[in-house]
Amino acid sequence: SSGINAEWPLRPGSSSSDESSDSDDSDPKTDPDFIRIVSRLLKDISPTFIWTIKRDDIDFKYLNRDQIVNHYCKASSFTTKIGLCHHLRSLPWYDASDPNEFFPRCYQLYNEDDREDFKEDFEICASLSILKIYVKQHKEHIKNAEIERTSPEPEKDDIPVEKAENLVPIAAIDLAILHLTNVVKHLDDEFIDFKSESRSNNNIMTPFKRKSILNYSYSLSAKEFRFDAFSQATLDVATGMLKEFGELKLAQESIEGCTNTWIMKPGAKSRGRGVIPQNNFDDIIKLADSSKEEKWVIQKYIEHPLLVHNTKFDIRQWFMVTDWNPLTLYFYQDSYLRFGSRPFTLDDFDPSIHLCNNSIQKKFLSGQGKNETSFAKGNMWTSAAFKKHLDKHGNLDKWDDLIYPGMKKAIQRVMMTIQDIIEDRKNSFELYGADFMVDSNYSPWLIEINCSPAMGGTTKVTERLCSEVLDDCIKVIIDKKEKSTDRDSALIPLL
């Protein structure tokens, strides 16, 4: 039996923890009088199975050994944005892999060392953006010049830009090259020692030069700004430096773009609350310093996401831990996609475009479905529907070979980093909801992990899947424990 009653090891005055729980379920059909009656009838019964949304509702010290609970004590180290960012840095101690291969790099802005590292990273991305935009604009200008040319003319090294109102000097390329040349000198085994750069180069990159690079990148990110001249020689230098950086095989090259966009997140909130895309360093720092109580993290935005009908999406993937020693992990075979409600663009940071959380998107879904995508009822798809879409475009193998196994590996690696610090309990288990994005190369990127994932049937997709997940949890936790083998579960053992 389960339910809240006087015999529960309930923690007095318990309240919501800071963990990344995205559950905002409330059942308006629940009758309070019925609950009170049932609770009174069961007040002298000690429950054998306890399911609660909030871990802090349970005082684990007073649990009986045979009581089954859907939480582990002190298991919040990876279900906050701060905790996940922190613990994944220790992954190389547990596995021969790099977290940068599946987790967009992340910095804790309340930590001075992290903030300095972020500043250097942001400046490098700004320099790379300048070169990428130059290459792109050079191609566009050559193409336009060919169209406008009325008669053959001899090739010129320099092709002037005509009728450009907002010009960026070609000196921006020189500054970007100078900066990146200094960085390349200090790259060793794909690790950037930013601090040694500033010491060993005798302040070649002065604060004024660094600020100029940022200002140039801001201007160029606004599409109305263009370089004041184009030449083959400058193009060769720009493409050469980009190629040199590409040969370094930095793990996150596939998510980099031209806008140097990052995403700010309150370290302990969930459901998309307070999440803001940003591409201006001063605005980022100002927001991070605006509240002493709030601890912010900043994470690299995936500028080249895989799109469905030109719309961004993320994937909610469930998994369950039934034991930490030995680590016993189940991965749910189905998942679902959550879509934005407007076409993807980096020219507009509106949350309806960039934040796929259902709690955010439902604000944009009016009774008439004003912002609902035409291809996804309730802005959701099952993974089966997504696979049909991939198959239609000849890419079904991308799910089987890249996306699904990539999500599995990411979860396994996260669990490795925190296995030894979790307080294990043999009759506990926990269901988690991991959120992934997929880049244009079909590589999955872990964004965050939520404890107590929302399991309410808010759409046709979640109404069916969430019910099945809960049923399968019982199959694994209760039926298998009772040696029942007549019920198959879609929770597949992973470890």
Side-chain angles (χ1 to χ4, degrees):
S1 61
S2 63
I4 298 179
N5 57 66
E7 296 303 314
W8 266 45
L10 187 65
R11 190 185 301 277
S14 63
S15 60
S16 176
S17 69
D18 287 337
E19 293 176 77
S20 185
S21 168
D22 70 354
S23 179
D24 58 356
D25 301 339
S26 58
D27 186 359
K29 297 179 181 179
T30 300
D31 185 349
D33 292 332
F34 175 78
I35 293 177
R36 282 194 291 269
I37 292 172
V38 172
S39 296
R40 183 172 299 175
L41 292 172
L42 298 176
K43 67 178 182 178
D44 295 323
I45 305 298
S46 180
T48 56
F49 184 94
I50 302 171
W51 186 295
T52 178
I53 292 176
K54 299 175 184 178
R55 178 182 292 115
D56 288 350
D57 282 346
I58 301 297
D59 194 331
F60 285 80
K61 293 183 297 183
Y62 298 104
L63 285 174
N64 297 327
R65 288 186 178 183
D66 61 346
Q67 286 182 300
I68 301 173
V69 184
N70 71 318
H71 289 293
Y72 288 95
C73 182
K74 301 178 181 178
S76 61
S77 52
F78 63 98
T79 57
T80 64
K81 297 170 181 67
I82 290 175
L84 189 61
C85 175
H86 174 75
H87 287 288
L88 273 176
R89 296 178 182 181
S90 63
L91 177 60
W93 292 98
Y94 300 91
D95 186 66
S97 59
D98 184 351
N100 286 329
E101 296 172 356
F102 64 89
F103 184 67
R105 59 193 184 277
C106 187
Y107 300 94
Q108 303 165 67
L109 291 177
Y110 57 90
N111 180 288
E112 288 301 322
D113 290 337
D114 256 28
R115 180 177 290 202
E116 187 63 27
D117 288 344
F118 165 65
K119 178 183 178 183
E120 297 290 348
D121 195 342
F122 191 92
E123 290 174 351
I124 288 174
C125 290
S127 291
L128 289 170
S129 295
I130 290 172
L131 300 187
K132 292 175 184 177
I133 293 173
Y134 179 84
V135 172
K136 181 179 179 180
Q137 288 190 3
H138 187 279
K139 291 179 180 178
E140 292 173 351
H141 189 71
I142 293 295
K143 182 179 179 180
N144 292 337
E146 290 292 338
I147 294 174
E148 295 174 1
R149 184 176 292 117
T150 57
S151 60
E153 293 181 6
E155 294 185 3
K156 298 180 180 179
D157 184 52
D158 290 333
I159 304 174
V161 176
E162 298 178 358
K163 300 179 181 179
E165 298 179 357
N166 300 307
L167 299 178
V168 172
I170 206 67
I173 298 294
D174 299 330
L175 277 178
I177 294 294
L178 174 63
H179 180 213
L180 295 174
T181 299
N182 289 336
V183 172
V184 170
K185 290 179 181 178
H186 297 278
L187 281 173
D188 182 21
D189 296 330
E190 300 182 3
F191 174 77
I192 303 176
D193 187 351
F194 297 113
K195 296 179 181 178
S196 66
E197 174 203 344
S198 61
R199 290 194 299 266
S200 63
N201 284 279
N202 298 318
N203 295 321
I204 291 178
M205 285 304 300
T206 63
F208 175 78
K209 291 178 180 178
R210 292 177 181 272
K211 186 66 175 177
S212 296
I213 286 175
L214 294 183
N215 289 334
Y216 287 141
S217 70
Y218 299 152
S219 296
L220 290 167
S221 294
K223 292 185 177 180
E224 63 269 18
F225 282 82
R226 295 182 62 81
F227 284 95
D228 61 359
F230 297 96
S231 71
Q232 185 62 44
T234 304
L235 178 65
D236 292 342
V237 172
T239 54
M241 178 56 72
L242 290 173
K243 180 181 179 182
E244 188 170 358
F245 251 79
E247 290 174 348
L248 295 171
K249 296 182 179 179
L250 299 178
Q252 300 193 321
E253 184 180 359
S254 65
I255 68 175
E256 305 287 353
C258 296
T259 63
N260 197 12
T261 301
W262 297 70
I263 191 156
M264 289 192 72
K265 303 177 180 182
K269 290 184 179 179
S270 60
R271 305 197 299 274
R273 293 173 297 175
V275 176
I276 308 171
Q278 292 276 13
N279 59 6
N280 184 291
F281 181 80
D282 291 336
D283 290 346
I284 291 170
I285 298 304
K286 182 179 179 180
L287 179 57
D289 292 340
S290 62
S291 173
K292 294 183 179 180
E293 292 77 22
E294 193 70 75
K295 292 184 176 181
W296 292 86
V297 299
I298 186 106
Q299 189 169 38
K300 188 66 187 77
Y301 192 85
I302 299 175
E303 296 187 47
H304 296 296
L306 181 65
L307 303 178
V308 171
H309 299 295
N310 202 35
T311 305
K312 178 185 172 182
F313 67 89
D314 66 16
I315 300 176
R316 166 56 59 88
Q317 177 64 58
W318 291 287
F319 68 97
M320 184 171 68
V321 177
T322 59
D323 204 331
W324 287 100
N325 186 23
L327 181 59
T328 307
L329 183 64
Y330 290 83
F331 200 78
Y332 200 69
Q333 66 180 10
D334 296 320
S335 53
Y336 65 93
L337 279 64
R338 306 178 297 189
F339 291 95
S341 50
R342 291 172 55 192
F344 178 77
T345 177
L346 287 172
D347 296 330
D348 185 349
F349 287 160
D350 191 276
S352 64
I353 301 171
H354 299 279
L355 305 183
C356 300
N357 309 65
N358 184 54
S359 57
I360 297 294
Q361 289 299 322
K362 67 183 181 182
K363 299 176 183 178
F364 304 103
L365 299 178
S366 67
Q368 289 72 38
K370 181 179 179 181
N371 288 320
E372 186 174 62
T373 57
S374 60
F375 58 88
K377 186 71 174 177
N379 285 15
M380 288 187 185
W381 266 4
T382 62
S383 55
F386 181 50
K387 286 188 281 186
K388 287 182 180 179
H389 171 80
L390 292 174
D391 190 26
K392 182 179 178 181
H393 293 82
N395 291 315
L396 181 57
D397 61 314
K398 304 299 185 183
W399 176 268
D400 296 326
D401 298 340
L402 295 175
I403 300 174
Y404 193 63
M407 293 192 296
K408 285 183 177 180
K409 289 180 181 178
I411 296 302
Q412 283 179 292
R413 290 166 177 171
V414 173
M415 297 299 101
M416 287 179 181
T417 64
I418 47 85
Q419 177 183 4
D420 294 337
I421 63 176
I422 300 297
E423 188 173 312
D424 192 23
R425 181 179 179 275
K426 290 304 178 183
N427 271 322
S428 282
F429 70 97
E430 192 144 12
L431 179 69
Y432 300 98
D435 294 337
F436 288 88
M437 280 190 62
V438 182
D439 67 25
S440 56
N441 293 328
Y442 298 91
S443 296
W445 294 85
L446 176 64
I447 304 303
E448 64 182 25
I449 296 176
N450 299 278
C451 70
S452 298
M455 302 302 290
T458 55
T459 69
K460 291 294 184 181
V461 170
T462 54
E463 183 178 5
R464 178 177 65 83
L465 282 182
C466 291
S467 176
E468 292 176 355
V469 170
L470 293 173
D471 188 45
D472 286 329
C473 286
I474 301 301
K475 293 177 184 178
V476 171
I477 300 302
I478 303 297
D479 294 357
K480 287 194 175 183
K481 188 173 182 180
E482 299 296 330
K483 308 294 184 184
S484 175
T485 58
D486 59 341
R487 304 177 70 193
D488 294 328
S489 169
L491 282 161
I492 303 170
L494 191 58
L495 282 176

